[in-house]
């Protein structure tokens, strides 16, 4: 069975500093990987995905993610964090039947 | 995402009551999903549907049922609500040839 691990429940970063939200996965076959963001009292918004191709994927709001097959990781990154980036971030992997398995989420807090 | 709507947005009910959560979409997608979100557990799949005549159980379908009334509508029912069904419920859609699921704003359900 496929699985996703987000090892950090919370990540704190100062505004203007780079941020990384970690994700590792386990899946049979080629991984289809996603990042979603959830703002308070809102649904999940799609940020970016990796299907194939370049290991560095660029997404919405200046976010990017690096796919590393040997480390089975798909870490979310942003060069310069904003206070408005504070939200709950979910990593997900898709199986052969197109069902998503989500990680438990990482709360990002960006402080002034 | 305004293309996927959920009603009601908030609901408080009592143990043993029947309740229906509704999801509508204008994205023209054929695939629809119901998830529940619990703190620290991420999102878990309850049911999914690839078209009006195709309904499938997810990982936590016990205590729930669904109805796909039309391509654009997918309802989730709790026949006899219990307190551990208190959660945030999300509907999502996906186009047949697409990879990405798009989520509604969620319904916060409290069972007393």
């Amino acid at each position: 069975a496929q699985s996703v691990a987000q090892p950090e429940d919370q990540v704190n970063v100062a505004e203007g500093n780079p941020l990384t939200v970690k994700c590792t996965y386990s899946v049979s076959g080629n991984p289809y990987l996603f990042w979603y963001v959830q703002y308070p009292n809102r649904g999940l918004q799609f940020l970016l995905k990796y299907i194939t191709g370049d290991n560095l994927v660029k997404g919405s709001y200046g976010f990017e993610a690096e796919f590393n097959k040997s480390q089975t990781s798909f870490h979310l990154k942003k060069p310069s964090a904003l206070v408005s980036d504070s939200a709950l971030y979910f990593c997900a992997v898709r199986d052969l039947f197109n069902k998503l398995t989500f990680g438990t989420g990482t709360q990002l807090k960006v402080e002034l | 995402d305004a293309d996927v709507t959920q009603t009601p947005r908030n609901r408080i009910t009592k143990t043993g009551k029947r309740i229906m959560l509704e999801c509508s979409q204008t994205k023209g997608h054929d695939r629809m999903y119901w998830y529940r979100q619990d703190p620290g557990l991420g999102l878990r799949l309850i049911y999914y549907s690839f078209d009006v005549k195709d309904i499938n159980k997810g990982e936590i379908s016990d205590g729930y049922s669904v109805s796909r009334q039309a391509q654009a509508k997918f309802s989730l029912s709790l026949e006899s609500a219990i307190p551990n069904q208190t959660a945030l419920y999300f509907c999502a859609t996906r186009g047949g040839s697409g990879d990405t699921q798009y989520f509604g704003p969620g319904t916060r359900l409290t069972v007393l």
Side-chain angles (χ1 to χ4, degrees):
Chain A
Q2 61 189 35
S3 64
V4 174
Q6 294 182 242
E8 301 155 317
D9 291 337
Q10 182 162 321
V11 170
N12 297 318
V13 64
E15 188 175 52
N17 284 0
L19 70 87
T20 299
V21 182
K22 296 180 180 177
C23 171
T24 59
Y25 66 90
S26 174
V27 66
S28 299
N30 294 324
Y32 285 33
L33 298 158
F34 301 80
W35 275 102
Y36 285 85
V37 59
Q38 183 180 24
Y39 296 101
N41 301 313
R42 301 283 297 277
L44 275 71
Q45 297 180 29
F46 168 73
L47 272 181
L48 51 80
K49 64 183 177 184
Y50 173 83
I51 304 300
T52 186
D54 195 346
N55 289 344
L56 186 63
V57 179
K58 294 187 182 299
S60 306
Y61 313 121
F63 283 92
E64 57 190 27
E66 186 171 9
F67 171 68
N68 187 315
K69 187 173 183 178
S70 63
Q71 297 184 6
T72 61
S73 66
F74 189 54
H75 300 332
L76 182 69
K77 300 181 179 183
K78 188 174 183 180
S80 179
L82 299 172
V83 172
S84 57
D85 293 329
S86 298
L88 185 59
Y89 290 80
F90 289 98
C91 182
V93 63
R94 198 190 85 181
D95 69 10
L96 296 175
F97 302 99
N98 294 318
K99 298 194 306 296
L100 288 178
T101 298
F102 286 85
T104 53
T106 298
Q107 187 70 48
L108 174 65
K109 187 174 183 181
V110 182
E111 301 168 312
L112 290 171
Chain B
D1 191 335
D3 297 325
V4 184
T5 58
Q6 293 183 234
T7 57
R9 293 295 311 278
N10 288 281
R11 181 72 182 267
I12 300 174
T13 191
K14 295 182 178 180
T15 297
K17 295 292 187 181
R18 184 181 188 275
I19 185 166
M20 179 181 288
L21 309 182
E22 298 186 340
C23 176
S24 295
Q25 53 112 349
T26 58
K27 299 182 80 67
H29 289 169
D30 51 356
R31 287 122 206 258
M32 299 187 73
Y33 305 79
W34 275 106
Y35 293 88
R36 65 176 279 175
Q37 182 184 12
D38 298 278
L41 294 179
L43 277 76
R44 293 178 293 167
L45 183 63
I46 306 172
Y47 270 96
Y48 61 103
S49 169
F50 286 170
D51 64 40
V52 174
K53 297 181 180 179
D54 181 20
I55 305 289
N56 303 279
K57 293 183 177 180
E59 60 180 300
I60 55 163
S61 59
D62 287 349
Y64 301 95
S65 62
V66 291
S67 173
R68 185 81 183 267
Q69 302 96 321
Q71 186 192 41
K73 296 183 182 295
F74 193 34
S75 300
L76 176 72
S77 293
L78 288 67
E79 296 301 325
S80 180
I82 56 177
N84 76 1
Q85 291 177 313
T86 292
L88 189 55
Y89 290 85
F90 287 106
C91 173
T93 74
R94 183 173 71 85
S97 61
D99 302 302
T100 303
Q101 290 186 23
Y102 296 91
F103 286 77
T107 294
R108 186 168 297 281
L109 176 66
T110 302
V111 183
L112 301 176

